[in-house]
Amino acid sequence: MTALEDGGYSASLHVFGLLIGTLMAFGLLLLLIFGARWVWELIMDKKSADSSEGR
């Protein structure tokens, strides 16, 4: 009986760990995407500002 409960506990713990890992990976991916987008917009703004100053 205890062995069965132990197995169920470790299985649920494993699923919980997988869920957290997936969420963390997804969060990092979103962070990378938004970070790259922000940097890209910053660079484009600088380029447009430079070209407008050159005119």
Side-chain angles (χ1 to χ4, degrees):
M1 192 71 184
T2 50
L4 189 69
E5 285 173 8
D6 222 33
Y9 177 71
S10 64
S12 63
L13 200 70
H14 184 66
V15 169
F16 191 64
L18 274 175
L19 190 69
I20 285 182
T22 305
L23 280 173
M24 279 179 68
F26 193 66
L28 275 173
L29 196 70
L30 278 176
L31 199 71
L32 274 171
I33 289 168
F34 280 113
R37 227 173 119 187
W38 180 73
V39 168
W40 176 256
E41 281 177 7
L42 207 70
I43 289 169
M44 293 317 278
D45 282 353
K46 261 191 179 165
K47 274 188 180 172
S48 63
D50 287 351
S51 63
S52 64
E53 279 172 15
R55 264 188 272 158

